[in-house]
Amino acid sequence: MILNGYDHYRVYHNENEFAGGKCHVNGIESFWSYAKHRLAKFNGCKSEKFVIHLKETEFRFNHRKENLAKIIKKTYEKTTYKLVKHQTFGNRSSMNNSEIRHSKQRAGETRRNFLRKASILGVGGLAGTIGGSSFLCRKTAAPALSNTAYAAEPLPPSPSDSAASAAAKQIDFINLPSDYTSPTTTLVLPMLAGYTVSVAVSDHPEIIAAGSTTVTRPANTTPVRITLKAVNNTTGGVGYTNPLLLPVYKPYVAPQADAATIAAAKKAYEQKKYGMMVTYSMNRTRYKSPIYADGVYLDDVDALVNGFDAKQFAKDMHDFGMEYVVFSAWHAHVVAGFPSATNERWRDDRRKQTIETQPYNLKSYTDPDTKDIIAELIKVLEPYDIDLHLYVHASDWHDFSDEDRSIIQSSNFNKYMMELFYELCERYGKGIKGLWNDGFFGNGINQTQYRQTCTQFNPAMILAANGGAGNNPNLKPSVGADYKAWEAVSIASGGRITIGQICSSYAYQNAPGYAPAGWFASAPQDAPLSNRITPQQQIRYLAAQASISKMGGLLLGVGCFPLKPGQTAADLNYNLWPSTIKEDYIQVNEAYITPVKESIINANVGKAYVSPEKAFVNNLLWGVATESPDTSGPDGKAEYVYLHILSPGGSAVSGQTLSLPAPADGSVFGQTAVLMNQDNETGDAFVVPTGAAAQVTVAQTATGGYTLTLSKNAKWSAVDTVIKAKRIAQVR
């Protein structure tokens, strides 16, 4: 545009007339993204024709939710007669019947010629026609944005007829070439009865050439757009398909990973106790989300991705004390947060309806020039030693639009999902430490194929699956997952465990929603979360999970806000989270976890005192136990046992003394132990006692049990008192 004499001025939102009142440019980024990707298909245009192309793009954008063919036809029916009349008879005010009839006949002929050409080119190739060349363009009401800039070369001149054109348009999909390991493979072209199908145009002829079916796999995975030609075997008539997207993957090379490496990865995961599940994706089914911090809803996956501040997010995860993060690759509707050629070619490219008629027809992939937030997360989390796992939903068929279900067909759903998982895992490789699959494995998902696909690029991939919500989750062993999660708490919904029943119930990972806002950031930042899990409840729940879980411990779910265009984290006071979530998590880490970190983070589950299954934290007789992650104690046991007294008002506590039964594994404790923490005066943090206050007297009872007595200067914490007891070899 600058070449055409336009000047460029930066718009500072809320500082000038371009962003005041009803006159603003908010949202124009959507048009520029649309224009950029549409015009790229023409592979350049003459400077003097640019304005015409841009004007057509404006028309298409403004009518993208309508049927362009009907609009153009209606417009020509109104204007062609007037144009022909003026060209033939000038400005005469009246004509005889013969002249009127002649004008109408010529107008009809003009309209038919135009519509015939439109049916061949695809409605909307008008600027290309004006510029002197005919381009193959999509014939849809709302063209999908391409995942690559398609070089729309002019089609070779061939005889064409409407029947062949209509027949060719039946082909809207092409299968991936097989044999991923060989440098070359063969493209199997779709069959069309009575026609011979071949490759007419390719935007990457070095990968797939016109007239050939040989595929040369590139050094880097490349999306290729090809146009197929269908020749009628009887009449010789020719028709062309729309450009079909075909991701051509680089040759597959199996990564090196021995059994010891895989075992080490699993052991490391089994030691983790504290993670955060962050839902950051599009969702139209259950939540009005995502939203900006001010509550304004956005329905644009590219804006959502570009609004993510990975550096601030990683710092928050560190400040929250997280060991790992489960971040959304997609959620409802399988809207991928990365440039997914799989979604574009299986769904968006084949749709004929808009989001107005199909409310769940969300754009299901990001444009290639948007951020790659998964790649960014891998990079920014690594310095903090925080593992990245991805939330996925392998069986989310139920959230698809009716049109998408009709396009894909349930019998092909597994094939579609396996292609999507291959794309995801090939793209990010070992940067992803695990996949957390929601919804288990319904809707025809082949678990064996899922496992094989997801471990192809990282054999040590941690595969976890949500066993379900409520009191009866599916926690049985499965082929598709090594670890199970229990959606234990969802404060907002009925039929699930409530906040008053926070529980250490299973040895599986517990994945509760943090507050009524649900898994998403679906309430404005200034909206209070009156029924949230408090920091005090959270540390109690975390201690209980650390004592029993070897499948990821506690995984609290919450969402964060995207930034608006031009906005920075500083504009939100570096707070990307709803309500008091950020200060709550920092308080949990700094005030409660840090003073007793060794008793929770990287601690082993309790063996001297085994935590009961299905026991609510508030109903425990005294509490739970964890152990140090070593084998330097007697008989190869852990050296230390950490006793978390979560029920100081329970029957096991009398005054300053805690009475415990005999250890389940026959352990013997020394005569003194250490009090690791107690409440401060306000009860909102742990204080590490010193000197005499830190000493705990240990005595063995006649039945083999133990009493542990605090010093007179110490006190029980109302939240979680932690005592560090040492195993000894001798029997006293």
Side-chain angles (χ1 to χ4, degrees):
M1 293 183 68
I2 293 174
L3 295 176
N4 280 272
Y6 290 87
D7 292 325
H8 176 260
Y9 296 96
R10 182 175 296 279
V11 175
Y12 296 94
H13 294 271
N14 299 322
E15 293 185 12
N16 56 39
E17 70 275 13
F18 293 103
K22 295 182 179 180
C23 299
H24 60 81
V25 295
N26 295 335
I28 199 171
E29 295 88 350
S30 179
F31 169 71
W32 286 128
S33 176
Y34 180 95
K36 179 170 54 177
H37 286 87
R38 180 180 179 276
L39 295 178
K41 296 179 181 181
F42 299 115
N43 202 27
C45 63
K46 293 182 179 180
S47 176
E48 62 270 19
K49 300 296 183 183
F50 172 74
V51 175
I52 300 175
H53 281 279
L54 185 62
K55 192 65 180 177
E56 181 191 346
T57 303
E58 175 195 349
F59 174 81
R60 283 175 163 274
F61 182 82
N62 290 335
H63 297 281
R64 64 192 183 280
K65 298 177 181 179
E66 303 171 57
N67 189 314
L68 290 183
K70 290 182 179 179
I71 295 175
I72 294 173
K73 182 179 179 182
K74 186 175 182 180
T75 301
Y76 262 69
E77 286 175 348
K78 289 182 177 180
T79 61
T80 308
Y81 171 71
K82 293 181 180 179
L83 178 63
V84 170
K85 172 188 168 185
H86 175 75
Q87 290 175 338
T88 307
F89 301 105
N91 293 322
R92 283 168 47 183
S93 58
S94 62
M95 297 184 295
N96 58 40
N97 292 336
S98 176
E99 290 172 335
I100 293 174
R101 186 165 55 252
H102 175 73
S103 296
K104 288 183 177 180
Q105 288 174 345
R106 284 198 57 196
E109 182 181 349
T110 301
R111 286 197 300 270
R112 286 191 294 275
N113 288 336
F114 169 79
L115 294 175
R116 187 181 303 113
K117 188 169 187 178
S119 71
I120 296 172
L121 297 179
V123 171
L126 306 184
T129 302
I130 294 172
S133 299
S134 297
F135 296 98
L136 182 73
C137 303
R138 291 176 54 86
K139 186 181 179 183
T140 59
L145 297 182
S146 173
N147 201 33
T148 59
Y150 177 65
E153 301 175 7
L155 291 172
S158 300
S160 180
D161 60 32
S162 59
S165 179
K169 292 297 189 290
Q170 296 176 29
I171 301 175
D172 63 356
F173 185 79
I174 188 167
N175 286 318
L176 292 180
S178 59
D179 189 3
Y180 287 73
T181 58
S182 299
T184 61
T185 184
T186 301
L187 182 66
V188 179
L189 297 176
M191 301 292 291
L192 191 61
Y195 288 82
T196 299
V197 178
S198 62
V199 176
V201 178
S202 168
D203 68 342
H204 283 279
E206 75 282 5
I207 298 176
I208 306 173
S212 174
T213 57
T214 298
V215 178
T216 302
R217 293 198 177 277
N220 296 300
T221 297
T222 304
V224 179
R225 287 272 182 186
I226 62 175
T227 300
L228 302 182
K229 177 172 67 173
V231 180
N232 190 299
N233 295 334
T234 302
T235 67
V238 176
Y240 295 95
T241 66
N242 291 324
L244 304 177
L245 179 60
L246 188 73
V248 181
Y249 292 96
K250 62 186 178 183
Y252 173 75
V253 178
Q256 297 297 317
D258 54 24
T261 301
I262 297 173
K266 289 185 176 182
K267 182 178 180 180
Y269 177 71
E270 290 167 3
Q271 287 296 110
K272 297 189 185 301
K273 308 298 180 182
Y274 197 31
M276 175 180 273
M277 177 184 289
V278 180
T279 305
Y280 192 85
S281 63
M282 305 301 297
N283 191 324
R284 269 199 166 200
T285 50
R286 301 176 185 86
Y287 305 93
K288 189 71 171 177
S289 61
I291 59 172
Y292 292 115
D294 60 5
V296 175
Y297 175 64
L298 72 156
D299 208 356
D300 183 340
V301 65
D302 294 300
L304 177 70
V305 168
N306 282 331
F308 183 70
D309 189 330
K311 289 184 178 180
Q312 182 61 45
F313 178 89
K315 183 180 184 303
D316 287 345
M317 293 300 100
H318 170 71
D319 293 345
F320 295 172
M322 294 300 157
E323 295 182 273
Y324 67 102
V325 175
V326 177
F327 192 88
S328 300
W330 61 78
H331 201 273
H333 322 298
V334 191
V335 176
F338 58 94
S340 171
T342 301
N343 267 355
E344 183 178 2
R345 75 192 214 91
W346 274 86
R347 299 166 64 188
D348 297 63
D349 275 1
R350 303 164 77 186
R351 291 170 178 166
K352 300 190 186 324
Q353 298 190 53
T354 68
I355 200 169
E356 299 302 320
T357 56
Q358 289 283 311
Y360 298 162
N361 264 7
L362 294 164
K363 180 169 175 280
S364 65
Y365 62 94
T366 64
D367 291 336
D369 59 348
T370 58
K371 290 182 180 179
D372 188 334
I373 56 178
I374 296 176
E376 287 189 13
L377 281 172
I378 292 171
K379 181 179 179 180
V380 297
L381 289 173
E382 185 177 10
Y384 294 114
D385 195 27
I386 299 174
D387 288 345
L388 176 64
H389 297 230
L390 295 181
Y391 170 102
V392 295
H393 204 320
S395 54
D396 195 47
W397 181 248
H398 53 280
D399 282 329
F400 278 37
S401 69
D402 291 341
E403 185 178 24
D404 277 358
R405 284 197 288 264
S406 176
I407 290 171
I408 295 175
Q409 295 293 310
S410 59
S411 59
N412 290 323
F413 183 64
N414 182 74
K415 178 181 177 181
Y416 155 71
M417 289 304 305
M418 293 309 110
E419 183 179 324
L420 184 61
F421 277 110
Y422 186 95
E423 177 184 38
L424 176 72
C425 296
E426 191 260 2
R427 185 179 183 90
Y428 301 109
K430 293 184 178 180
I432 306 171
K433 303 302 181 184
L435 295 176
W436 197 95
N437 179 44
D438 200 358
F440 207 60
F441 296 101
N443 293 320
I445 295 298
N446 185 312
Q447 293 190 51
T448 299
Q449 194 175 358
Y450 170 84
R451 172 180 288 278
Q452 291 172 345
T453 302
C454 296
T455 57
Q456 274 189 282
F457 298 94
N458 181 9
M461 183 82 77
I462 300 300
L463 298 178
N466 182 9
N471 289 310
N472 297 297
N474 177 9
L475 299 174
K476 297 178 182 178
S478 67
V479 174
D482 297 310
Y483 303 95
K484 295 294 185 66
W486 178 42
E487 199 174 328
V489 179
S490 183
I491 305 167
S493 58
R496 301 183 184 183
I497 294 170
T498 65
I499 189 65
Q501 297 173 309
I502 287 182
C503 140
S504 65
S505 135
Y506 289 100
Y508 302 92
Q509 181 189 69
N510 266 329
Y514 188 77
W519 308 106
F520 290 78
S522 54
Q525 191 171 53
D526 57 3
L529 300 180
S530 58
N531 200 24
R532 76 192 196 285
I533 300 176
T534 67
Q536 294 76 25
Q537 291 168 325
Q538 186 175 331
I539 187 62
R540 288 164 59 80
Y541 200 6
L542 177 58
Q545 277 303 105
S547 76
I548 192 172
S549 174
K550 295 177 68 176
M551 297 197 178
L554 179 62
L555 181 69
L556 284 172
V558 72
C560 63
F561 296 115
L563 298 172
K564 291 185 175 181
Q567 195 177 47
T568 67
D571 297 324
L572 296 180
N573 197 26
Y574 302 98
N575 185 1
L576 307 177
W577 306 91
S579 190
T580 61
I581 284 177
K582 180 170 183 174
E583 61 186 82
D584 284 354
Y585 272 96
I586 291 177
Q587 181 182 357
V588 170
N589 185 36
E590 295 181 352
Y592 293 124
I593 295 177
T594 300
V596 296
K597 187 173 182 178
E598 67 182 85
S599 73
I600 295 176
I601 304 301
N602 200 40
N604 282 343
V605 300
K607 294 182 179 178
Y609 295 100
V610 180
S611 293
E613 291 268 77
K614 298 186 178 180
F616 295 113
V617 173
N618 293 345
N619 297 336
L620 293 170
L621 292 177
W622 60 273
V624 297
T626 59
E627 302 187 6
S628 56
D630 60 71
T631 56
S632 56
D635 302 321
K637 297 175 182 176
E639 184 174 9
Y640 294 103
V641 174
Y642 305 100
L643 305 170
H644 294 260
I645 294 83
L646 301 173
S647 301
S651 59
V653 178
S654 177
Q656 297 289 88
T657 300
L658 167 69
S659 297
L660 296 177
D665 63 352
S667 293
V668 177
F669 300 127
Q671 296 182 10
T672 60
V674 177
L675 176 64
M676 297 186 69
N677 70 300
Q678 56 186 343
D679 285 344
N680 65 10
E681 293 301 318
T682 61
D684 62 358
F686 287 162
V687 174
V688 179
T690 58
Q695 298 301 308
V696 177
T697 302
V698 181
Q700 191 172 33
T701 66
T703 59
Y706 285 92
T707 60
L708 296 93
T709 304
L710 304 184
S711 70
K712 63 180 180 179
N713 297 322
K715 61 180 181 179
W716 301 108
S717 166
V719 180
D720 176 18
T721 303
V722 183
I723 297 175
K724 182 179 181 179
K726 184 175 182 178
R727 283 188 172 102
I728 60 173
Q730 70 268 28
V731 178
R732 292 181 284 109

